[in-house]
C-alpha cells in the first residue's frame, strides 16, 4: 500500500519512533477499565468461543461449519495455510543464539530500538508492557499441556485489516474472515521475525499469534497503551486504527522500558454511541452498561451468539460488522485526524460526531470499492453463494 | 508504517486498483532498452555473483565471508531465517486445490482482482506480464536440477526497503543487508500467500523469491511495467520507489490481462546523472554508455567488484550505496511527487534536479534517523565492529 508521509513524518524516526502520533495521547497509570489483579484467574485457551464451537458446544450445525470455516472461501483458506505454517514450534520459539549482545542493557534505549525494528518490519503500531502473569493461558489448545512462560515483557504488534476493504464490505461479506486473517498473518510474520531477532541478540523470545498463542491479548494491549476496552466486549479499540486491527505478541526476557496505558475518552464515547450494538446482526453486543466479572470491567458480550454468527454465517465468511460500523474505523486522513483529535480531547463533540457518522453514511458498504470474488466451497466443490442484500458486483467507471 | 492516504486515495480501489498513481505513467509496447529475444539464452542460477562468491571464484576471503554473510549481523540472521523457511518446496508450490472457480475466466477482471488481492496482502506495487521463456533459469542452485516451468503469466510484487532507514544509512552500514532482507522477506511472504490463493482458486501457481527462484527478475519487471533498466546495471528502477525495493514473483496458469512496459525518461536521466557510478565505493558501476550483450542492452556493471563489496564489507553488512544515493530514492510526499512528475514529463528539468539533489544533501546519511545497533558476530561471538566514518550514534532531542 502507498506509504504517504503525514505531517508527523519529520518526527517519525527522529524525535519519536512511531509513525502514528501516539506521543499525543494522554497516558494514565492504569487502564481506564477496572482490573482487579487479585481476582483474575489465568484462563484456558480451550475455553475460547471458537474452540467451544469446534467441540460442538454451540450445536451440531456450528460444529460442522467450524470445520470448513477457513476452507469455505479460497482467500481465507490460503491465508490460514500461511499463518498455520508460522505456528510451527520452531517458527515461534527457540533458544537464544548466543549470549546477550553488548550495549543492550539500557531498557529505555532497547524499547525504542525494538519499536523501530518492529516498524522497519512493517508493523502498524507497537506497544510494550510487563507481561501480566494472568495473561498467560493455563493450557494450550494444540497439545493440551500446561503452559509455563516466565518472560517479563510483552511487545504487542498491531496490523491494520485494510481500510479500503473495510469501506467496501457490509461487515459480513465473503471477505470478512480474510480481513481478520490478513492482519493475523502479517502480525504473525512480524512477530516471528522480531522474536528471531531478539534471540539473535542473545535473549529469550517467543512469538504468540493466531495459530500459536500462550497468552491472551486484551490485557496486554491495555497495559501496552494500545487501546481501551470497548462496547464490543473483548475488543480493545485503538485511537488511530479503531477496532480494525489484529495483534500478535512477542514475550521476552530482554529488559525493556514499558509504555503506559492510554485514555482517549473511549469509556464515555462507547457509553454514548452503541452503534455496534445497534448493528450487530445477532444482537450479541450489550446496549447497557459495563459489568465487573472475573476481575475485569467490561461491556458484556454474548460469546455464543457472536461465535455462532461468525462461524455459521450463511451469506458470507466470518463477521466484523461491529468493526465495520464503529465510528473509530476511519482512514488516517487530515480530516479524520482532526475529528479524532476532537473526539479525544473535547467531550462535547462526541454526541454530534456519533450523529454525523450515521448522517454521512459511514458504516454502509461502498460497492465501488468491492474487489473480492463471492465464491464458496462446499464439500470440496465450487458454489456461487447466495449473498446478502448489500453484496453486489463492483460498479466501476472505465479508466 | 503509517498508511496516510494521498490525493489519489479517492481513485484507489474505485477507478484504479493501485495505490501509487501508475495509471499516470506513459506506456510503451516494448521496454525502453533493446531486447533481442532471438539472442537471449536462459541463464543458470548457479552463475550468479553470490553463488560464484560462495564457490570461491572471487577468492578465499570472499568465500569465507559469504558463509557468514547473514550471521554476521543479528537482524540479517533473523530475516534470513524467516525467508529461508518460506523457501521450502511446500511453501512456494503445490497442486491446485480443486478445479477452476466459476467466473474466473475474464483475464481483464482477474488481472484487476489479483492486483487488488496483492494490495490487500500489503504489496507496495504489482505488475503483470507474460512470462518470457528466457526468464526461466536453466538450473536451480538448490538441487542442481534442470527447471521446467510452463506457466504463461508472471505477477511481480514490489516491497519497499523502508525510506526512513534509507535516509539514515550511509549505503553500506550494518543495516544495509537487512534493508534488502526486509523487502525480500515480505515480498516472499506476499508471493507465497498469493500463490496459495491462486491454487485455492483452482489454477497452477508458484512463488519465486529470494530463497527459492526459478526465474530471473529484471526482464519480468520490465515487461510488467514496473521500471526501466538503470545505470546500476541489473537494477530495474521504479518511478515511485526508485531502486529502493525488492521483488518476488508468482508464475501462474491463470489467464490474466498483462500490463505494458513504461517509459518515464530514465534512459535519458541515467545518461545525464551517474551519481551511483560516482559514489560506488568500489567503482563497479560504469561512467560510460550502455552496451549490448547476450541479447540485452544495459549499462555494464562489474559483478565481481559489486558482489565482493557486498559480501566482504568490513565496515558494515552488505552494500546499497547506489540505492542510497540515487535521486529517485525519495519519499512519496507532495513535494517529491511534483519533482517526480517533472522529471518524467519535462526533460529539461532533469539536469537542474540532478544538481539540486547534491546541493540539498540527498544521498548523505541522516544520523538523527539511525535506529539500528552496530554489532558484529565473529565465529559465534560478539564484536563491537569498526564502523565507517559516517556511522555514528543516534543524536536525539528529548521528546
Amino acid at each position: 500500500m502507498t506509504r504517504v508521509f503525514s505531517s508527523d513524518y519529520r518526527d517519525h524516526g527522529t524525535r519519536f519512533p512511531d509513525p502514528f502520533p501516539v506521543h499525543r495521547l494522554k497516558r494514565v497509570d492504569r487502564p481506564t477499565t477496572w482490573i482487579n489483579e487479585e481476582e483474575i484467574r489465568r484462563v484456558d485457551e480451550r475455553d475460547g468461543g471458537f474452540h467451544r464451537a469446534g467441540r460442538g458446544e454451540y450445536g451440531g450445525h456450528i460444529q460442522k461449519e467450524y470445520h470448513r470455516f477457513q476452507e469455505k472461501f479460497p482467500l481465507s483458506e490460503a491465508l490460514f495455510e500461511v499463518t498455520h505454517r508460522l505456528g510451527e514450534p520452531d517458527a515461534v520459539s527457540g533458544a537464544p543464539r548466543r549470549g546477550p549482545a553488548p550495549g543492550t542493557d539500557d531498557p529505555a534505549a532497547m524499547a525504542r530500538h525494538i519499536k523501530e525494528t518492529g516498524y522497519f518490519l512493517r508493523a502498524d503500531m507497537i506497544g510494550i508492557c510487563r507481561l501480566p502473569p494472568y495473561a498467560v493461558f493455563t493450557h494450550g489448545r494444540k497439545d493440551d499441556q500446561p503452559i509455563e512462560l516466565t518472560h517479563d515483557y510483552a511487545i504487542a504488534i498491531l496490523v491494520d485489516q485494510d481500510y479500503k476493504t473495510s469501506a467496501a464490505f457490509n461487515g459480513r461479506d465473503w471477505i470478512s474472515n480474510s480481513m481478520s486473517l490478513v492482519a493475523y498473518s502479517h502480525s504473525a510474520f512480524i512477530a516471528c521475525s522480531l522474536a528471531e531477532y531478539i534471540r539473535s541478540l542473545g535473549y529469550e523470545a517467543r512469538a504468540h499469534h493466531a495459530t500459536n498463542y500462550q497468552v491472551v491479548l486484551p490485557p496486554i494491549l491495555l497495559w501496552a497503551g494500545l487501546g481501551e476496552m470497548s462496547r464490543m466486549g473483548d475488543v480493545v479499540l485503538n485511537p488511530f486504527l479503531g477496532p480494525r486491527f489484529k495483534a500478535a505478541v512477542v514475550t521476552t526476557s530482554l529488559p525493556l522500558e514499558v509504555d503506559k496505558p492510554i485514555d482517549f475518552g473511549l469509556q464515555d464515547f462507547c457509553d454514548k454511541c452503541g452503534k455496534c450494538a445497534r448493528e450487530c446482526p445477532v444482537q450479541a453486543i450489550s446496549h447497557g452498561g459495563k459489568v465487573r466479572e472475573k476481575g475485569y470491567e467490561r461491556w458484556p458480550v454474548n460469546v455464543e451468539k457472536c461465535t455462532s454468527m461468525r462461524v455459521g454465517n450463511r451469506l458470507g465468511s466470518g463477521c466484523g460488522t461491529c468493526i465495520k460500523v464503529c465510528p473509530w474505523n476511519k482512514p488516517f486522513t487530515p480530516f479524520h485526524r482532526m475529528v479524532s483529535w476532537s473526539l479525544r480531547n473535547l467531550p462535547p463533540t462526541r454526541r454530534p460526531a456519533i450523529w454525523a457518522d450515521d448522517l454521512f453514511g459511514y458504516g454502509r458498504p461502498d460497492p465501488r470499492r468491492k474487489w473480492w470474488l463471492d465464491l464458496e466451497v462446499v464439500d470440496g466443490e465450487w458454489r456461487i453463494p447466495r449473498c446478502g442484500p448489500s453484496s453486489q458486483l463492483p460498479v466501476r467507471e472505465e479508466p
Side-chain angles (χ1 to χ4, degrees), chain A:
Chain A
M1 56 292 318
T2 319
R3 246 147 251 120
V4 188
F5 296 90
S6 72
S7 57
D8 292 303
Y9 170 66
R10 234 169 282 182
D11 286 342
H12 170 42
T14 54
R15 290 182 67 201
F16 305 108
D18 311 272
F20 282 105
V22 297
H23 55 272
R24 303 234 171 98
L25 299 171
K26 180 180 159 194
R27 298 282 165 172
V28 286
D29 286 327
R30 292 184 59 85
T32 53
T33 39
W34 175 87
I35 291 180
N36 182 354
E37 283 91 345
E38 305 299 308
E39 193 182 334
I40 303 176
R41 293 283 162 270
R42 287 169 62 188
V43 295
D44 188 322
E45 190 183 15
R46 298 167 297 184
D47 291 341
F50 266 84
H51 310 300
R52 285 177 188 269
R55 283 199 302 273
E57 295 183 25
Y58 302 153
H61 173 66
I62 296 301
Q63 184 178 28
K64 194 178 148 216
E65 291 296 297
Y66 171 87
H67 290 291
R68 62 184 280 267
F69 184 48
Q70 313 299 348
E71 185 203 298
K72 72 192 261 195
F73 184 66
L75 188 52
S76 308
E77 183 180 50
L79 286 169
F80 185 75
E81 179 65 29
V82 296
T83 315
H84 188 72
R85 203 173 282 126
L86 294 171
E88 296 296 322
D90 66 339
V92 296
S93 61
R97 286 183 182 266
R98 49 189 73 85
T104 52
D105 50 3
D106 175 344
M110 289 309 289
R112 179 168 174 132
H113 172 67
I114 289 297
K115 284 186 184 179
E116 299 209 79
T117 305
Y119 291 126
F120 179 69
L121 298 173
R122 300 167 73 91
D124 287 318
M125 210 177 303
I126 299 178
I128 300 173
C129 67
R130 282 200 159 264
L131 176 63
Y134 52 85
V136 180
F137 283 127
T138 58
H139 292 77
R141 72 183 160 82
K142 283 201 159 183
D143 55 7
D144 298 312
Q145 292 299 307
I147 291 170
E148 281 294 324
L149 183 68
T150 56
H151 296 157
D152 286 327
Y153 299 93
I155 304 153
I157 294 153
L158 308 192
V159 168
D160 194 339
Q161 294 187 28
D162 193 42
Y163 178 73
K164 190 191 85 168
T165 308
S166 93
F169 88 143
N170 74 1
R172 43 199 181 271
D173 282 316
W174 287 90
I175 197 64
S176 313
N177 186 30
S178 300
M179 289 177 59
S180 298
L181 285 165
V182 80
Y184 277 135
S185 66
H186 278 263
S187 59
F189 189 61
I190 295 165
C192 289
S193 305
L194 188 60
E196 281 282 355
Y197 175 54
I198 296 173
R199 294 195 296 271
S200 277
L201 285 178
Y203 296 87
E204 289 176 26
R206 188 198 197 275
H208 305 262
H209 62 74
T211 62
N212 194 329
Y213 286 120
Q214 289 188 335
V215 295
V216 59
L217 263 51
I220 292 173
L221 301 180
L222 293 179
W223 284 107
L226 291 169
E228 290 185 57
M229 293 304 286
S230 73
R231 181 177 289 279
M232 296 169 207
D234 297 325
V235 175
V236 172
L237 196 146
N238 179 278
F240 302 112
L241 297 168
R244 196 188 66 243
F245 68 85
K246 292 291 180 191
V249 162
V250 173
T251 57
T252 181
S253 64
L254 173 68
L256 295 168
E257 186 177 82
V258 299
D259 293 302
K260 286 172 76 173
I262 56 175
D263 178 357
F264 58 101
L266 190 69
Q267 302 312 301
D268 177 52
F269 186 93
C270 284
D271 198 46
K272 292 185 163 70
C273 177
K275 198 165 171 178
C276 52
R278 186 187 78 199
E279 300 292 333
C280 176
V282 290
Q283 292 294 304
I285 299 173
S286 163
H287 292 262
K290 287 180 277 193
V291 296
R292 294 184 177 191
E293 53 174 4
K294 296 180 184 169
Y296 293 102
E297 179 187 38
R298 64 212 255 299
W299 276 276
V301 66
N302 187 322
V303 174
E304 178 172 350
K305 280 187 182 176
C306 175
T307 307
S308 299
M309 171 65 206
R310 286 185 285 162
V311 172
N313 183 357
R314 291 168 196 267
L315 303 173
S317 166
C319 178
T321 307
C322 46
I323 294 172
K324 162 75 182 182
V325 303
C326 176
W328 292 88
N329 170 24
K330 290 291 182 293
F332 194 61
T333 56
F335 173 74
H336 289 294
R337 293 178 60 187
M338 192 186 70
V339 174
S340 163
W341 183 89
S342 75
L343 293 182
R344 290 181 341 243
N345 297 291
L346 306 172
T349 63
R350 289 174 193 155
R351 274 199 197 279
I354 292 163
W355 176 77
D357 203 70
D358 275 336
L359 186 74
F360 292 165
Y362 289 110
R364 286 206 292 266
D366 176 356
R368 296 171 311 150
R369 291 204 156 78
K370 179 173 187 289
W371 59 268
W372 60 92
L373 304 174
D374 293 321
L375 286 169
E376 185 175 5
V377 176
V378 179
D379 298 329
E381 299 293 328
W382 292 110
R383 186 163 78 179
I384 305 283
R386 284 184 304 155
C387 288
S390 66
S391 181
Q392 34 204 307
L393 286 173
V395 179
R396 284 184 184 129
E397 310 156 43
E398 278 303 299

